[in-house]
């Protein structure tokens, strides 16, 4: 097992890593408290929570060139997205601060010589500029929506900016008229100084990228040039997108040679069980949360704007999107039959809803809602059903036939390599909302997925189906050990969850129970000892090809632990995302950590 130092990237020496090493329990607490001894050592972090150093460097360069002292910026891929961020921010700020917000839209200078590669990539970036004190409000939009630019786009655009090839579009504002003022922050329930929703902000001026970041960036460039030649062919990128969409649709299960075949044959059968499913029914996004954000926007356009339903204990930003964008939502945090009884009574009394959003299984308790009953209620009372299948994965389960739309974070096991972000959305062509959603998506959808990220996602996902099989086996092996331990209080895994019948109703004939499990110990000191002794990667995210562990509730709900506990989510829960290691090696690692937990009990 590799060693991981505090604050190092996971995987090690990876410029565009999706996770960061927090190897001891106290490191996670220090991170959540914003303590410098932890935060200052972080070379990276999960991209929606931690603004990558290359992105922050580009933002500072844009401010230095076109802005004023005391300003900061967050970067987005297009002017449309930047305006959406501005629209979100202004109502949350005092009028004098809100009037100081503006956007700088940068694009390739068409009057200068540009190589075919530059022209084909069509690089753009829009900087939302604001007084530095308004950063926490801007960060809300960045974190919740997944609309921000990727670190690879930032690196590419940084080089263009330095060569004066990336310039403001005609009419783009490039300076503010007044100095920054104090920001009026929104509700403080989940905030603390220097953070938003419990996520520490990064230093205003980050240090230079470490040597391993520069090395990985050089390797990334070499990979692209060796594979595609000096110019990244746009038609090749489109073929890569097509391959990803087909894998998500369940129609492409074999290796393909994109270099020698830019056009794929017509899509035929798929494992989703929907005969009329087409490649065009699958949409790609730069992050999984961005897929959720966009289907929510599409539903608001396609139907009468109404409250939505968040059913089951949610991933944090799904709930935030439904609460902060649009008419709001009703939250049924247990996702139980009793919650469905409550919902049904509300529907019978005339309450109407836009859509029900749920995860299958949920994170971190791995319970599954009764999708068949939800589908029946949706048909009877006219609301859409959106299912997040990230944890179950379409290699193990099929939920499209009971959903109007299915979303997934491709960042997780679909990629596996923990070095690129992505999200997918599938519209069910048999849904009664299908035509309206298609029309709405024509207006809502912007293809902002950066070509280099597409290339890495396509390459990473080629062996997705075979990796799942091994991960299923490893997960059950770890569960077998935990189930017999005297220090374990509860284990959460779809196979052993009371809601297993709901999972099995959607499980594919050869499907397993997935690669995510959670464990709660009898005492907090046992959980801490187990975590500290576990000789694997430890940090945020899941679905990696290597086993990855985190005290998930501390990281996701540090400012609302009592609230989470109301729904049965223990603050000391340890979540394990199981990887591809040799089964016996993993078993040994877990046994050793359990021995440490038992020793903690004795002392």
């Amino acid at each position: 097992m590799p060693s991981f130092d505090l604050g190092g990237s996971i995987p090690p020496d990876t410029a565009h890593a999706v996770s960061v090493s927090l190897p001891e329990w106290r490191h996670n607490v220090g991170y959540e408290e914003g303590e410098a001894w932890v935060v200052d050592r972080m070379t990276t972090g999960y991209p929606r929570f931690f603004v990558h150093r290359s992105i922050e460097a580009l933002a500072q360069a844009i401010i230095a060139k076109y802005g004023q002292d005391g300003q900061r910026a967050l970067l987005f891929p297009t002017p449309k997205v930047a305006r959406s961020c501005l629209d979100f921010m202004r109502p949350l700020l005092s009028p004098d601060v809100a009037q100081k917000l503006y956007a700088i839209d940068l694009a390739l200078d068409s009057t200068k010589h540009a190589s075919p590669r530059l022209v084909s990539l069509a690089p753009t970036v829009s900087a939302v500029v604001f007084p530095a004190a308004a950063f926490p409000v801007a960060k809300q939009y960045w974190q919740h929506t997944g609309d921000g630019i990727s670190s690879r786009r930032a690196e590419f655009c940084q080089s263009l900016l330095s060569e004066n090839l990336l310039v403001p579009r005609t009419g783009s504002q490039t300076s503010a008229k007044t100095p920054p003022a104090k920001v009026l922050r929104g509700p403080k329930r989940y905030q603390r100084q220097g953070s938003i929703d419990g996520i520490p902000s990064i230093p205003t001026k980050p240090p230079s990228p470490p040597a391993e970041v520069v090395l990985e960036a050089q390797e990334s460039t070499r990979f692209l040039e060796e594979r595609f030649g000096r110019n990244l062919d746009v038609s090749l990128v489109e073929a890569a997108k097509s391959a990803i969409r087909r894998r998500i649709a369940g129609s492409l299960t074999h290796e393909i040679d994109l270099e020698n075949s830019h056009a794929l044959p017509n899509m035929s059968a798929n494992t989703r069980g929907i005969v009329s499913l087409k490649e065009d029914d699958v949409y790609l996004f730069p992050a999984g949360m961005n897929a959720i954000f966009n289907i929510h926007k599409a539903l608001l356009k396609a139907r009468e704007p109404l409250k939505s339903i968040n059913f089951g204990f949610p991933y944090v930003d799904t709930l935030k999107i439904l609460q902060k964008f649009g008419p709001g939502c009703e939250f049924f945090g247990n996702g139980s039959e009793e919650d469905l009884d409550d919902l049904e009574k509300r529907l019978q009394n005339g309450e109407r809803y836009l859509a029900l959003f749920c995860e299958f299984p949920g994170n971190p308790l791995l319970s599954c809602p009764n999708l068949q009953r939800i589908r029946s209620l949706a048909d009877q009372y006219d609301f859409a059903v959106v299912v997040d299948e990230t944890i179950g994965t379409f290699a193990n389960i099929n939920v499209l036939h009971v959903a109007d739309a299915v979303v997934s974070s491709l960042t997780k096991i679909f990629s596996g390599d923990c070095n690129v972000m992505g999200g997918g959305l599938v519209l069910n062509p048999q849904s009664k909302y299908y035509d309206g959603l298609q029309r709405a998506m024509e207006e809502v959808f912007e293809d902002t997925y950066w070509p280099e990220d597409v290339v890495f996602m396509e390459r990473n996902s080629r062996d997705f189906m075979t990796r799942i099989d091994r991960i299923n086996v490893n997960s059950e092996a770890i569960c077998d050990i935990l189930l017999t331990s005297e220090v374990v209080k509860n284990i959460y895994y779809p196979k052993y969850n009371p809601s297993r019948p709901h999972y099995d109703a959607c499980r594919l004939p050869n499907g397993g129970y997935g690669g995510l499990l959670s464990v709660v110990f009898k005492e907090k000191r046992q959980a801490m000892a187990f975590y500290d002794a576990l000789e694997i990667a430890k940090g945020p995210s899941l679905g990696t090809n290597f086993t990855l562990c985190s005290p998930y509730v501390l990281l996701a709900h540090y400012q609302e632990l009592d609230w989470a506990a109301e729904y049965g989510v223990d603050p000391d829960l340890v979540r394990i995302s199981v990887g591809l290691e040799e089964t016996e090696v993993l078993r040994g690692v877990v046994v050793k950590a359990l021995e440490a937990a038992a020793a903690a009990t004795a002392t």
Side-chain angles (χ1 to χ4, degrees), residues 176-314:
K177 296 179 181 179
T178 52
K182 184 178 180 181
V183 63
L184 285 180
R185 302 181 187 277
K188 295 185 177 180
R189 179 182 175 193
Y190 307 134
Q191 298 183 21
R192 64 170 183 275
Q193 185 67 31
S195 71
I196 191 71
D197 285 349
I199 308 302
S201 59
I202 64 171
T204 301
K205 292 186 177 181
S208 301
E212 65 266 18
V213 170
V214 176
L215 175 62
E216 205 274 343
Q218 294 170 347
E219 292 175 348
S220 169
T221 301
R222 280 200 298 272
F223 163 72
L224 289 166
E225 291 190 351
E226 289 171 0
R227 185 171 179 187
F228 303 116
R230 293 289 175 178
N231 298 322
L232 184 59
D233 189 344
V234 169
S235 65
L236 195 57
V237 174
E238 290 304 314
K241 290 178 182 176
S242 178
I244 295 170
R245 286 193 293 263
R246 288 164 187 245
R247 287 188 189 120
I248 294 171
S251 69
L252 181 63
T253 58
H254 58 277
E255 291 285 334
I256 55 173
D257 184 1
L258 293 183
E259 290 86 344
N260 298 317
S261 177
H262 291 196
L264 299 176
N266 290 332
M267 198 174 98
S268 54
N270 66 82
T271 59
R272 296 280 189 172
I274 307 293
V275 175
S276 55
L277 185 65
K278 306 182 299 296
E279 182 181 329
D280 290 345
D281 296 326
V282 182
Y283 298 80
L284 301 180
F285 298 90
M289 198 51 58
N290 198 234
I292 294 174
F293 182 58
N294 275 273
I295 188 58
H296 183 235
K297 288 196 298 182
L299 282 162
L300 288 170
K301 284 189 174 296
R303 308 192 64 224
E304 177 187 353
L306 297 166
K307 281 187 175 183
S308 288
I309 300 162
N310 195 141
F311 195 78
F313 193 80

Side-chain angles (χ1 to χ4, degrees), residues 211-463:
E212 65 266 18
V213 170
V214 176
L215 175 62
E216 205 274 343
Q218 294 170 347
E219 292 175 348
S220 169
T221 301
R222 280 200 298 272
F223 163 72
L224 289 166
E225 291 190 351
E226 289 171 0
R227 185 171 179 187
F228 303 116
R230 293 289 175 178
N231 298 322
L232 184 59
D233 189 344
V234 169
S235 65
L236 195 57
V237 174
E238 290 304 314
K241 290 178 182 176
S242 178
I244 295 170
R245 286 193 293 263
R246 288 164 187 245
R247 287 188 189 120
I248 294 171
S251 69
L252 181 63
T253 58
H254 58 277
E255 291 285 334
I256 55 173
D257 184 1
L258 293 183
E259 290 86 344
N260 298 317
S261 177
H262 291 196
L264 299 176
N266 290 332
M267 198 174 98
S268 54
N270 66 82
T271 59
R272 296 280 189 172
I274 307 293
V275 175
S276 55
L277 185 65
K278 306 182 299 296
E279 182 181 329
D280 290 345
D281 296 326
V282 182
Y283 298 80
L284 301 180
F285 298 90
M289 198 51 58
N290 198 234
I292 294 174
F293 182 58
N294 275 273
I295 188 58
H296 183 235
K297 288 196 298 182
L299 282 162
L300 288 170
K301 284 189 174 296
R303 308 192 64 224
E304 177 187 353
L306 297 166
K307 281 187 175 183
S308 288
I309 300 162
N310 195 141
F311 195 78
F313 193 80
Y315 180 70
V316 57
D317 289 306
T318 300
L319 180 58
K320 302 297 184 187
I321 285 173
L322 300 181
Q323 290 175 333
K324 296 181 180 183
F325 298 87
C329 80
E330 293 291 343
F331 178 50
F332 296 85
N334 294 307
S336 62
E337 290 298 311
E338 290 75 16
D339 277 351
L340 281 178
D341 292 340
D342 184 7
L343 174 60
E344 186 168 12
K345 289 178 183 178
R346 291 170 182 248
L347 294 165
Q348 290 171 347
N349 290 332
E351 294 188 21
R352 299 175 59 224
Y353 298 98
L354 176 75
L356 181 148
F357 288 73
C358 66
E359 300 173 12
F360 196 90
N363 181 14
L365 300 183
L366 288 304
S367 60
C368 296
N370 186 342
L371 289 184
Q372 281 68 29
R373 185 178 175 191
I374 289 171
R375 179 73 267 163
S376 177
L377 291 174
D379 291 340
Q380 185 176 355
Y381 294 101
D382 190 28
F383 60 85
V385 177
V386 180
V387 181
D388 185 342
E389 65 176 11
T390 299
I391 294 174
T393 81
F394 58 87
N396 287 321
I397 59 172
N398 179 23
V399 296
L400 184 59
H401 64 290
V402 289
D404 298 286
V406 170
V407 293
S408 181
S409 173
L410 307 182
T411 308
K412 309 306 192 295
I413 192 57
F414 187 80
S415 166
D417 278 351
C418 201
N419 64 1
V420 65
M421 298 281 283
L425 162 66
V426 186
L427 298 182
N428 184 348
Q430 296 180 354
S431 164
K432 68 178 180 179
Y433 309 116
Y434 176 72
D435 291 339
L437 284 174
Q438 266 204 326
R439 289 191 296 269
M441 286 299 293
E442 289 176 2
E443 182 177 349
V444 167
F445 179 70
E446 275 193 296
D447 186 357
T448 60
Y449 206 2
W450 181 241
E452 290 178 279
D453 293 323
V454 171
V455 167
F456 277 87
M457 182 61 73
E458 191 284 317
R459 180 188 67 170
N460 292 354
S461 62
R462 289 185 177 185
D463 61 348

